[in-house]
Amino acid sequence: LNIAESAHWQGNITAQQAVITGRVTGSLTVAGKLEIGRAAVIHGSVTAQSLAIAQGAVVDGDMSVTGEAPITRFEDRRT
């Protein structure tokens, strides 16, 4: 699943993998890797096996990682 920077999704999401750079209002459950870009704004709980979050991203809700790897923080250089 990819949600572009200009997109807004309202509702709960379940996906195998996801890259979020836009807005999500609702819970997000990802079985594998979730990448949250710098422009992302998520209002809801986030659960993923592995999670990478860019500096500047906003997550307004609980975050849970189900895998062994820690949350990765990065500087998003995409334009």
Side-chain angles (χ1 to χ4, degrees):
L1 170 70
N2 284 319
I3 296 185
E5 192 170 329
S6 61
H8 178 214
W9 178 267
Q10 189 163 352
N12 298 331
I13 296 173
T14 302
Q16 290 298 314
Q17 295 185 31
V19 176
I20 309 297
T21 56
R23 293 178 29 198
V24 173
T25 303
S27 68
L28 183 57
T29 304
V30 179
K33 181 180 178 182
L34 170 60
E35 181 180 320
I36 301 173
R38 72 171 182 267
V41 177
I42 300 172
H43 295 285
S45 63
V46 172
T47 303
Q49 182 177 17
S50 68
L51 176 61
I53 185 166
Q55 294 176 6
V58 174
V59 177
D60 179 23
D62 295 330
M63 289 195 306
S64 177
V65 177
T66 60
E68 307 252 340
I71 295 174
T72 303
R73 291 174 175 81
F74 67 98
E75 185 175 333
D76 194 348
R77 297 181 183 191
R78 286 178 277 205
T79 57

